[in-house]
Amino acid sequence: AQSVAQPEDQVNVAEGNPLTVKCTYSVSGNPYLFWYVQYPNRGLQFLLKYITGDNLVKGSYGFEAEFNKSQTSFHLKKPSALVSDSALYFCAVRDMGTGRRALTFGSGTRLQVQP
Amino acid sequence: EAGVTQFPSHSVIEKGQTVTLRCDPISGHDNLYWYRRVMGKEIKFLLHFVKESKQDESGMPNNRFLAERTGGTYSTLKVQPAELEDSGVYFCASSLGTGVVQETQYFGPGTRLLVL
């Protein structure tokens, strides 16, 4: 069965500093990996995805993520955090080995950027 | 282009009552998904439609939940009768189809359901 782990419930970072939100996954086949963000009282917003190709993927709002197959990780990063980045971040995986389109989500990480 | 829309945004009902949630996917998206987040836990998959057909309903918790997508456009998710543990946020998502670009699921704002 596929699974996603986001080991940190909350990440605190000062504005202007780099941020990392961690995600590891487990699948039987090859993974499709996604990051979504949820701002207060809003739905899930797509940030970026890894399907194939370059291990470093760039997404919206200056975010990027690096796919590491050996470590089964897909950490979300941003070089310089903004207060407006404060939100709930979800990592998700789809197992290409199953043929199912369902996404499996992590429990979410709350990012707090302090001014 | 309009995104995925869901109605209502909030619903408060009593245990034993019936509630129907509606989802309108992005126009032209054949794939429609329902997910829910209960008690602040993980977002869990419920089911997947391809056009009007149920492709995968492995996540449906029990037979109190009925999803339909007549005509392959909008979808409804009915909970009858509702129980306390059904409280949570119900998300709908849609995707265009297969392929690298089309694989992305776009989510609606969710319906917040509270069963008292």
Side-chain angles (χ1 to χ4, degrees):
Chain A
Q2 59 201 59
S3 64
V4 175
Q6 293 182 243
E8 303 152 317
D9 289 336
Q10 181 156 326
V11 170
N12 297 307
V13 64
E15 187 175 30
N17 283 0
L19 69 88
T20 299
V21 182
K22 296 180 181 178
C23 171
T24 58
Y25 66 91
S26 175
V27 295
S28 58
N30 290 319
Y32 280 6
L33 291 154
F34 302 82
W35 276 101
Y36 288 86
V37 58
Q38 186 178 24
Y39 296 102
N41 301 314
R42 302 285 293 277
L44 293 169
Q45 186 172 335
F46 169 73
L47 267 184
L48 52 79
K49 67 185 176 187
Y50 171 82
I51 302 291
T52 186
D54 195 346
N55 289 344
L56 183 65
V57 293
K58 295 185 183 296
S60 307
Y61 312 120
F63 283 93
E64 59 188 29
E66 185 165 14
F67 170 63
N68 188 317
K69 188 172 184 177
S70 63
Q71 297 185 4
T72 62
S73 67
F74 190 56
H75 301 331
L76 181 69
K77 300 182 179 185
K78 188 173 182 181
S80 179
L82 300 172
V83 172
S84 57
D85 292 331
S86 298
L88 188 56
Y89 291 80
F90 291 95
C91 181
V93 68
R94 181 198 155 193
D95 188 344
M96 290 301 295
T98 67
R100 295 174 63 233
R101 298 276 184 91
L103 295 179
T104 297
F105 283 84
S107 54
T109 298
R110 187 164 300 281
L111 174 66
Q112 195 70 39
V113 182
Q114 285 113 7
Chain B
E1 178 182 280
V4 177
T5 57
Q6 293 185 245
F7 182 83
S9 58
H10 295 78
S11 181
V12 181
I13 61 172
E14 293 188 352
K15 176 183 172 181
Q17 289 186 322
T18 297
V19 64
T20 300
L21 313 181
R22 173 171 169 145
C23 169
D24 286 78
I26 294 171
S27 178
H29 281 197
D30 285 341
N31 295 272
L32 187 148
Y33 312 81
W34 284 98
Y35 294 82
R36 72 173 180 175
R37 189 177 190 218
V38 174
M39 296 293 291
K41 296 183 178 177
E42 293 91 348
I43 299 168
K44 296 281 193 183
F45 167 80
L46 295 177
L47 87 159
H48 168 212
F49 283 100
V50 177
K51 297 184 180 180
E52 67 275 9
S53 299
K54 292 177 184 175
Q55 186 77 14
D56 179 358
E57 48 186 329
S58 61
M60 293 289 264
N62 52 61
N63 59 10
R64 296 186 294 104
F65 289 75
L66 175 63
E68 296 180 322
R69 192 182 182 196
T70 306
T73 54
Y74 71 91
S75 174
T76 57
L77 180 65
K78 181 189 289 187
V79 185
Q80 181 182 28
E83 299 289 344
L84 299 179
E85 63 265 25
D86 300 332
S87 297
V89 182
Y90 289 76
F91 291 104
C92 176
S94 71
S95 68
L96 188 57
T98 57
V100 173
V101 174
Q102 296 91 330
E103 187 69 37
T104 302
Q105 295 181 27
Y106 295 94
F107 282 75
T111 293
R112 195 171 296 272
L113 175 65
L114 179 60
V115 183
L116 300 175

